[in-house]
Amino acid sequence: QVQLVESGGGLVQPGGSLRLSCAASGFTFSIYTMSWYRQAPGKERELVAHASSTGGSTVYADSVKGRFTISRDNAKNTVDLQMNSLRPEDTAVYYCSAARGIRFWGQGTQVTVSS
């Protein structure tokens, strides 16, 4: 069955960095657009970044441009999110997602930015 397993979340101080990873299985990873979303308490889930099937095209939310980088490895079926210069407002549960007509979701990983 389809599985998306996120890892790498945790507590970090403002200005710090974290790298999230998502390991995918159960579908043809290389033909799916892969995305990272996040949901903060009391807010709707929002797109953070996505990468096309080849990784050649990426899109970022304005709030993370220049700080976050999405990358994928189609040989390893993984997609990462490098997060630098983290801010308290980046605190959220981060979800990995795969889409190609239908969308799959991971279980999420908590990122907390606080001093």
Side-chain angles (χ1 to χ4, degrees):
Q1 72 277 21
V2 172
Q3 283 194 311
L4 296 170
V5 181
E6 301 100 333
S7 61
L11 173 64
V12 63
Q13 292 187 342
S17 297
L18 280 176
R19 188 176 184 89
L20 305 183
S21 293
C22 174
S25 61
F27 63 101
T28 308
F29 179 84
S30 62
I31 65 173
Y32 277 69
T33 295
M34 295 302 299
S35 306
W36 286 95
Y37 284 75
R38 68 185 180 188
Q39 187 166 20
K43 295 188 177 181
E44 293 188 354
R45 192 171 297 189
E46 63 174 358
L47 176 69
V48 175
H50 75 236
S52 64
S53 59
T54 63
S57 176
T58 56
V59 174
Y60 295 91
D62 287 344
S63 59
V64 307
K65 279 181 183 175
R67 300 188 298 124
F68 290 11
T69 303
I70 188 171
S71 60
R72 64 187 294 166
D73 187 333
N74 284 352
K76 297 181 179 179
N77 287 5
T78 59
V79 58
D80 292 349
L81 185 69
Q82 177 66 43
M83 306 186 295
N84 299 327
S85 302
L86 283 161
R87 305 167 180 169
E89 54 264 38
D90 295 317
T91 295
V93 177
Y94 283 70
Y95 297 91
C96 175
S97 179
R100 183 179 169 88
I102 58 173
R103 183 173 292 280
F104 304 123
W105 294 98
Q107 82 287 351
T109 186
Q110 176 70 47
V111 171
T112 303
V113 185
S114 175
S115 55

